[in-house]
Amino acid sequence: MAAARTSTPLVRRFGPRPVVAAGPVVLCFAALLGSRTEPDSGYGFTTTWLTTAGLGFALATVPATDAALGGIRWR
């Protein structure tokens, strides 16, 4: 929810395309961090990459959904 609220001011400032494009980049960085997780990794490291993944997912989906719904003509 916090990441979804973060994307709105970014879209106002930069537009939806750069924000939506940045989402998968952040998500890939989170996947890279997640791939480095080992059985003895602590909760702090796991929380870091899961939070980063949530931010990347929100940056990708929230503006894209808003843009798609904004293009629909309502009767």
Side-chain angles (χ1 to χ4, degrees), residues 16-75:
R17 286 186 182 190
V19 176
V20 171
V25 172
V26 174
L27 199 53
C28 286
F29 178 69
L32 177 68
L33 287 177
S35 71
R36 307 297 293 174
T37 304
E38 295 183 9
D40 61 342
S41 296
Y43 285 116
F45 182 69
T46 305
T47 302
T48 300
W49 72 262
L50 284 174
T51 303
T52 307
L55 177 64
F57 187 75
L59 285 176
T61 58
V62 172
T65 303
D66 286 344
L69 290 177
I72 296 175
R73 288 183 48 177
W74 298 95
R75 295 180 188 207

